[in-house]
Amino acid sequence: MKTSWLTILPVWLLGTIVTASTPLQYCSVDAEEKTDLCFAVASFKNSTTQANDLSLHISTKFVVDATGWASVAIGPKMDNALMFIMYPGGEQGRITVSTRTTRYHAIPKVVSEDAPETHVTKTWIDDTGLYNAQIMCYNCESWSGTTLDVMSPSQPWIWATNWDQPTHSDDVHLKLRPHNAKGFTMLNMASSYSESGDIIAQVSTQRITQEPNTDDAGPAPPTMQDESDDHHPAKEHHKHSAFGLVSLHGFLLSFGFFALTFGVLGIRSGSSKSYKIHWTIQTGGGSAIVVGCLMGIYLSYKHGGHFGTFHQWIGLSMIPSVIIQGLLGYLHHVNYLKYGRRTAVSYYHIWLGRAALIIGNLNVGFGLNLAGAESFKWFTWYAGLAIQLSVLIPMWYFYARGKTILDAVRNKPVAKDVVRYESVEQDAFIVDDELDEFEDEGLGHDDLKNGKD
Ligand code: HEM
Ligand code: HEM
Ligand code: HEM
Ligand SMILES: *[C@@H]1O[C@H](CO)[C@@H](O)[C@H](O)[C@H]1NC(C)=O
């Protein structure tokens, strides 16, 4: 009995010493992904401030030509995460560390003053080409974008790397290009928390995921979930496919506003069907817009229920605008049949319609920005804008001169003798087939002209 205790005790003691020096760290080392990233975290109570400080060590190899960036961030996803990003500095041997955040998937920007105070304690590049940065985040739990709990057994963290952006810059605001690899992990923060003293997180020489007080060289303990997406695609935290909800939202809305331009062209086309073309296209486009916006609201709830971006505010204002616009269009028409001329409602419809058309199309850009969209989508949007402008500008140009597009195309002189255009200021607004409807209802053009105000 006694002897067995005596043999176990030293082994146990040795074990504690060895495991106590095991850091809480996560690694993603993958040649195919051109990623070699480890980060270690430790936290402790700051004896002066009584707040919990976080120490972070990021150690990464910029595998291809020593360029690109690497980042780890507090949170389950990009949206509102507190991101620590590092890249090679402007001169050989230097490292730039930048603390940023973002909304949804937009390009991360340097955090504002109200973020927790961070301090880069040490940066170095070792002879194996590993870039290292040790960072302190004071009172780090005060970050309100996402939740950090240094006592949590399952704190979400994310990471991302890029290997092809030519970084080499001392500018902390350097505009980042998207990642080539990214992932999600849960860390047992409690395992590295200390009540007393300042500990400094230190990535171990073994570049594997590990946790203190476990078999140090063993595989990741079950409390840690590695969701590096290429390895466990099924567990991917949240994936955007080409036909995902975000893309569908964007497509419906971009297409909806694009269509409105052709509805506007319809009403000014000079075609005898202009009225019908207009209301059909606008009602269809308008419905797509309302449905798309509702999807946007749903998306925002799914992302945690934040409604704080410019894109969302503009988008939200589009729902009532488009509905009111439809009603105004109809009211205009009813009044028109009654009085045979434009009323105030007509001008509201025209100007609210033009404003919605322009603002909605611009909001596509804000949406693409928020979604961190790839360049294909940007170019599609630019092309769409170019097409719309090349329709609208000549259309408005001729319209202002009392001509319709069809007149212009057929090179007809302005028809002075036609009732339609009595004066450019007023009656040029009258649309052919609205007049036709008067005739259908037994009213001739002359009745109209003599109609009361
Ligand atoms: C220019 C900078 C960035 C852009 C344009 C960008 C863009 C995107 C986009 C479009 C997605 C969703 C599509 C997909 O699943 O591939 C995404 C996902 C993700 N990104 Fe980024 N990203 C940037 C920077 C970062 C940084 C600095 C991190 C730091 C950790 C990061 C971490 C992630 C993670 C973990 C995901 C999956 C979870 C989520 O959807 O939020 N990204 N990123
Ligand atoms: C969301 C739906 C709609 C949008 C965005 C919209 C937009 C517009 C715009 C921008 C104009 C002015 C064209 C210009 O710039 O020269 C216009 C004119 C007109 N719209 Fe709509 N429209 C919509 C729905 C409707 C509906 C439902 C009707 C009829 C029931 C209608 C009837 C008209 C008429 C008659 C005009 C000509 C007004 C005039 O020249 O006095 N619109 N619309
Ligand atoms: C004028 C109306 C709107 C337009 C034209 C519009 C357009 C877009 C576009 C083009 C995207 C990018 C999609 C992609 O990359 O494929 C987007 C993303 C987004 N939109 Fe909208 N949108 C509108 C209204 C709204 C509304 C009303 C909301 C919610 C209140 C909303 C919330 C979002 C969010 C949260 C994203 C980013 C999703 C992510 O990256 O995770 N949008 N929008
Ligand atoms: C406690 O926090 C302050 C700033 O918030 C910092 O200057 C100080 O170094 C911290 N103390 C320790 C032991 O890290």
Side-chain angles (χ1 to χ4, degrees):
M1 257 327 221
K2 245 184 181 171
T3 43
S4 59
W5 268 112
L6 280 174
T7 44
I8 288 168
L9 196 65
V11 172
W12 180 79
L13 274 174
L14 193 73
T16 355
I17 293 161
V18 169
T19 52
S21 66
T22 307
L24 172 59
Q25 77 176 31
Y26 171 86
C27 290
S28 179
V29 181
D30 186 325
E32 222 173 278
E33 283 196 324
K34 303 185 177 68
T35 293
D36 186 338
L37 170 76
C38 283
F39 69 96
V41 297
S43 48
F44 57 89
K45 180 167 268 157
N46 183 315
S47 49
T48 19
T49 61
Q50 296 299 307
N52 289 323
D53 295 349
L54 179 84
S55 166
L56 175 68
H57 177 190
I58 309 175
S59 170
T60 190
K61 209 169 264 180
F62 294 109
V63 186
V64 183
D65 302 331
T67 196
W69 55 261
S71 168
V72 306
I74 299 169
K77 54 188 192 287
M78 276 176 74
D79 190 22
N80 279 324
L82 184 61
M83 301 169 163
F84 303 94
I85 301 167
M86 61 189 274
Y87 35 89
E91 259 165 55
Q92 188 82 44
R94 276 219 290 258
I95 297 175
T96 306
V97 176
S98 165
T99 313
R100 309 193 191 195
T101 189
T102 193
R103 296 310 316 273
Y104 299 95
H105 297 111
I107 300 176
K109 296 262 160 55
V110 171
V111 287
S112 58
E113 301 295 310
D114 51 346
E117 181 194 345
T118 57
H119 186 238
V120 181
T121 15
K122 193 175 164 202
T123 62
W124 72 99
I125 304 169
D126 75 9
D127 39 12
T128 65
L130 279 170
Y131 285 63
N132 293 275
Q134 275 173 332
I135 303 155
M136 282 298 306
C137 178
Y138 298 109
N139 189 14
C140 210
E141 289 175 319
S142 67
W143 174 248
S144 55
T146 50
T147 319
L148 170 69
D149 177 1
V150 298
M151 305 294 222
S152 167
S154 52
Q155 167 67 40
W157 284 82
I158 52 171
W159 61 269
T161 56
N162 166 295
W163 54 265
D164 57 1
Q165 174 171 3
T167 40
H168 298 282
S169 169
D170 295 330
D171 181 8
V172 292
H173 298 274
L174 180 75
K175 190 176 175 191
L176 294 183
R177 292 208 204 138
H179 28 74
N180 308 111
K182 61 178 162 41
F184 168 83
T185 190
M186 293 276 213
L187 296 186
N188 180 355
M189 299 299 286
S191 72
S192 76
Y193 179 77
S194 152
E195 271 293 338
S196 58
D198 51 324
I199 350 162
I200 289 179
Q202 177 82 50
V203 169
S204 87
T205 48
Q206 288 173 298
R207 296 182 71 77
I208 51 165
T209 298
Q210 51 192 339
E211 185 179 310
N213 309 319
T214 57
D215 294 327
D216 50 341
T223 47
M224 305 177 86
Q225 297 162 25
D226 174 4
E227 286 198 21
S228 167
D229 42 296
D230 282 343
H231 304 140
H232 307 277
K235 276 208 250 159
E236 238 281 54
H237 187 71
H238 127 226
K239 181 99 188 156
H240 289 217
S241 70
F243 301 102
L245 209 54
V246 173
S247 293
L248 196 58
H249 160 80
F251 178 79
L252 266 180
L253 284 151
S254 330
F255 187 78
F257 283 101
F258 183 78
L260 292 187
T261 286
F262 294 88
V264 167
L265 176 66
I267 199 83
R268 302 296 182 223
S269 63
S271 150
S272 58
K273 296 249 176 321
S274 59
Y275 175 71
K276 198 169 176 198
I277 295 172
H278 179 74
W279 79 255
T280 321
I281 297 183
Q282 305 311 67
T283 311
S287 312
I289 290 166
V290 172
V291 171
C293 283
L294 294 177
M295 286 176 69
I297 295 173
Y298 173 76
L299 260 178
S300 306
Y301 274 113
K302 233 184 66 175
H303 274 88
H306 310 283
F307 287 88
T309 70
F310 199 48
H311 173 75
Q312 289 164 303
W313 281 101
I314 294 184
L316 285 175
S317 74
M318 283 297 136
I319 302 176
S321 306
V322 166
I323 294 170
I324 290 169
Q325 180 64 8
L327 296 175
L328 289 175
Y330 180 72
L331 270 180
H332 152 85
H333 180 65
V334 169
N335 280 344
Y336 193 84
L337 294 185
K338 217 151 130 197
Y339 305 119
R341 59 167 181 82
R342 285 182 146 187
T343 52
V345 165
S346 321
Y347 294 96
Y348 299 149
H349 180 77
I350 290 171
W351 286 103
L352 179 65
R354 289 174 182 172
L357 177 66
I358 290 163
I359 295 169
N361 268 292
L362 293 180
N363 207 33
V364 174
F366 296 126
L368 292 174
N369 177 56
L370 206 53
E374 71 264 38
S375 41
F376 170 74
K377 286 181 181 172
W378 284 99
F379 285 117
T380 312
W381 179 53
Y382 296 147
L385 285 184
I387 293 169
Q388 293 181 77
L389 287 175
S390 59
V391 165
L392 291 172
I393 291 172
M395 187 202 82
W396 278 325
Y397 174 85
F398 289 119
Y399 174 67
R401 279 156 188 76
K403 279 187 174 191
T404 68
I405 287 284
L406 284 183
D407 291 337
V409 169
R410 293 175 189 149
N411 205 12
K412 264 205 298 191
V414 178
K416 291 255 161 41
D417 48 333
V418 176
V419 175
R420 178 161 46 123
Y421 295 132
E422 199 171 59
S423 86
V424 172
E425 281 70 42
Q426 252 198 337
D427 289 8
F429 298 112
I430 296 173
V431 179
D432 260 357
D433 62 335
E434 285 192 287
L435 291 176
D436 294 343
E437 284 196 30
F438 287 114
E439 285 170 342
D440 295 345
E441 290 168 30
L443 295 158
H445 287 177
D446 289 343
D447 300 338
L448 258 177
K449 293 294 137 198
N450 301 331
K452 56 176 162 104
D453 280 351

